[in-house]
């Protein structure tokens, strides 16, 4: 039967174990942190299926709410290790984790740094109780704190590293304040337009600078979760303003393009629906988070012009078109060339290309 050693070998074989983390990966059995029964797994009924899932490099949803929405999971081990590598911890560092979840990541940190140097905050008390039992069962007793992780835990600050296992739409002032000068914060980061990035921020003075990498898929921090209205909640047949564009809307789904657009079209999300009749036609929707504005682009194969329609308080297609034109003018740079500078005074972070001091604005 598949076991812990199989996962260790697989992670090593993929080069997913960063320097300094080999002992922790070998010493922490993921199976100690996955429930015997989840939404998709039942260890008593099918122990082999349970073991295959647990000791594979995949995410496992461990808890859902009354509506079937995932509220806790065991993330891909390789992704957690990628984030720990970005954190750049050294012996003697103190780390704050936002979102204890199953406790597996806290266990890796504790194995590496020692329980006195790891603090983990979890908002769901029942999730925290299970994680505490798993950690204690492994002889590990890091400080586990119930509460809002976005407030951090100032009693143990400053921290040399802060890692969030949930997506943030901004960097909370409390976390920035509790980070030591020169320390790092690593978090999934984005907005409703695009949220599949890791932000690695280094503290400098009251603020800091951050760069982007990776392609994570994490649940949102509850306070930052976008509303994500459905099309039927935004569009009820009302006519919009019709125009045209030469932008193929399918190209806007390319990751670097979508990420750049997200920086200038906040509080809205794109949805690309392809026709099911095999015609190749598609409709690109833009939906505002407040459900008050929408836009569409109708893609038809073989055409060079596409019909647009938009309605509401915002002209969402105009916003996307302006941002796309700016991205083209910059030479379509990849996402990892961009960064953000945070001032620490609550102001919006400044977007820059290649290095701080080279700001990117919509109009030049």
């Amino acid at each position: 039967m598949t076991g812990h050693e199989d996962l260790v070998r697989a992670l090593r074989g993929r080069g997913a174990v960063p320097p300094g983390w080999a002992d922790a990966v070998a010493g922490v059995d993921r199976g100690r942190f996955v429930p015997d029964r989840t939404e998709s797994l039942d260890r008593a009924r099918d122990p082999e299926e349970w073991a295959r899932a647990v000791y594979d490099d995949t995410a496992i949803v461990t808890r859902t709410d009354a509506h079937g929405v995932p509220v806790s999971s065991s993330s891909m081990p390789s992704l957690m290790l990628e984030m720990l590598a970005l954190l750049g911890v050294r012996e003697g560092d103190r780390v704050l984790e936002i979102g204890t979840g199953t406790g597996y990541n806290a266990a890796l940190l504790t194995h590496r740094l020692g329980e006195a140097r790891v603090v983990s905050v979890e908002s769901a008390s029942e999730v925290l109780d299970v994680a505490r039992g798993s950690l204690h069962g492994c002889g590990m007793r890091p400080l586990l704190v119930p509460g809002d992780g976005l407030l951090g835990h100032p009693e143990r600050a400053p921290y040399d590293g802060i890692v969030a296992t949930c997506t943030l739409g901004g960097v909370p002032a409390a976390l920035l304040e509790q980070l030591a000068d020169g320390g790092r914060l690593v978090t999934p980061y984005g907005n409703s337009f695009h949220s599949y990035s890791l932000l690695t921020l280094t503290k400098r003075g009251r603020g800091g600078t951050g760069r982007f990498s990776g392609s994570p898929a994490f649940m949102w921090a509850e306070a930052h979760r976008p509303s994500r209205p459905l099309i039927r909640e935004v569009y009820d047949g009302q006519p919009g303003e019709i125009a045209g564009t030469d932008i193929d809307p399918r190209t806007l789904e390319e990751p670097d393009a979508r990420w750049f657009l997200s920086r200038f079209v906040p509080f809205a999300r794109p949805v690309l629906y392809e026709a099911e009749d095999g015609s190749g036609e598609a409709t690109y929707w833009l939906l505002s988070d407040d459900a008050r504005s929408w836009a569409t682009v109708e893609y038809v194969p073989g055409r060079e012009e596409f019909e647009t329609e938009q309605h509401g308080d915002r002209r969402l297609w105009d916003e996307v078109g302006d941002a796309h034109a700016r991205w083209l003018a910059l030479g379509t740079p990849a996402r990892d060339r961009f960064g953000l500078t945070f001032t620490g005074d609550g102001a919006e972070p400044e977007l820059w290309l290649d290095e701080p001091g080279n700001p990117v604005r919509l109009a030049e």
Side-chain angles (χ1 to χ4, degrees):
M1 184 182 294
T2 306
H4 171 60
E5 288 301 324
D6 295 286
L7 176 59
V8 174
R9 280 193 295 270
L11 293 172
R12 287 174 177 165
R14 296 170 190 168
V17 181
W21 289 98
D23 288 346
V25 171
V28 178
D29 185 342
R30 189 190 190 198
R32 303 288 295 271
F33 297 90
V34 178
D36 289 346
R37 188 171 183 178
T38 70
E39 293 295 308
S40 60
L41 301 171
D42 188 331
R43 191 174 189 176
R45 179 179 56 82
D46 193 336
E48 291 190 3
E49 180 187 19
W50 181 91
R52 280 195 300 270
V54 169
Y55 296 114
D56 191 14
D57 186 26
T58 58
I60 301 172
V61 174
T62 56
R63 190 179 185 89
T64 59
D65 64 15
H67 305 287
V69 177
V71 295
S72 184
S73 68
S74 177
S75 301
M76 290 176 60
S78 61
L79 176 54
M80 298 312 305
L81 290 169
E82 178 183 354
M83 295 174 68
L84 292 174
L86 291 171
L87 200 62
V89 297
R90 299 158 298 181
E91 302 307 321
D93 280 356
R94 185 173 309 199
V95 173
L96 170 68
E97 179 187 40
I98 309 304
T100 309
T102 65
Y104 178 60
N105 194 55
L108 292 173
L109 284 164
T110 300
H111 193 289
R112 172 76 187 275
L113 300 174
E115 59 188 28
R117 297 189 171 276
V118 177
V119 180
S120 185
V121 185
E122 172 60 53
S123 61
S125 58
E126 63 277 15
V127 171
L128 188 64
D129 288 342
V130 173
R132 180 181 289 107
S134 299
L135 285 160
H136 288 186
C138 294
M140 297 181 177
R141 295 179 178 271
L143 179 61
L144 303 182
V145 181
D148 184 354
L150 303 187
L151 300 178
H153 187 67
E155 290 82 354
R156 289 282 185 94
Y159 300 98
D160 303 289
I162 299 177
V163 59
T165 61
C166 52
T167 302
L168 303 184
V171 176
L175 298 186
L176 200 53
E177 290 171 2
Q178 293 171 37
L179 191 61
D181 193 53
R184 288 184 180 179
L185 180 149
V186 177
T187 180
Y189 188 89
N191 56 30
S192 49
F193 206 103
H194 183 282
S195 60
Y196 307 108
S197 292
L198 292 173
L199 173 69
T200 302
L201 180 151
T202 302
K203 177 78 172 290
R204 293 287 183 259
R206 294 182 56 208
T209 58
R211 287 187 175 272
F212 294 93
S213 65
S215 55
F218 278 86
M219 289 174 280
W220 282 89
E222 186 174 354
H224 289 192
R225 184 182 297 125
S227 58
R228 299 179 63 84
L230 302 174
I231 291 176
R232 66 174 180 268
E233 296 171 324
V234 184
Y235 175 75
D236 61 6
Q238 67 271 45
E241 176 186 313
I242 296 177
T245 181
D246 61 358
I247 301 173
D248 181 339
R250 300 171 306 166
T251 65
L252 303 180
E253 289 292 278
E254 192 273 327
D256 288 332
R258 183 164 174 170
W259 179 86
F260 186 84
L261 297 178
S262 75
R263 295 297 88 205
F264 295 99
V265 190
F267 309 111
R269 72 182 178 104
V271 183
L272 182 67
Y273 278 107
E274 298 185 6
E276 298 179 354
D277 58 7
S279 64
E281 297 181 4
T283 300
Y284 181 82
W285 284 87
L286 292 162
L287 308 169
S288 67
D289 289 357
D290 63 8
R292 297 173 60 178
S293 304
W294 58 266
T296 60
V297 184
E298 301 295 339
Y299 171 78
V300 179
R303 294 188 182 178
E304 296 182 356
E305 286 281 334
F306 311 101
E307 182 180 274
T308 67
E309 189 174 4
Q310 52 190 340
H311 175 87
D313 298 338
R314 295 171 63 181
R315 291 296 184 260
L316 289 171
W317 177 251
D318 292 346
E319 293 181 31
V320 166
D322 290 345
H324 184 259
R326 185 72 181 111
W327 187 59
L328 293 179
L330 290 168
T332 67
R335 176 199 54 175
D336 60 8
R337 291 179 59 191
F338 292 95
L340 295 176
T341 293
F342 296 80
T343 59
D345 58 5
E348 285 295 310
E350 180 180 75
L351 178 69
W352 43 264
L353 178 63
D354 292 330
E355 59 184 20
N358 185 27
V360 175
R361 302 183 178 92
L362 199 55
E364 290 294 316

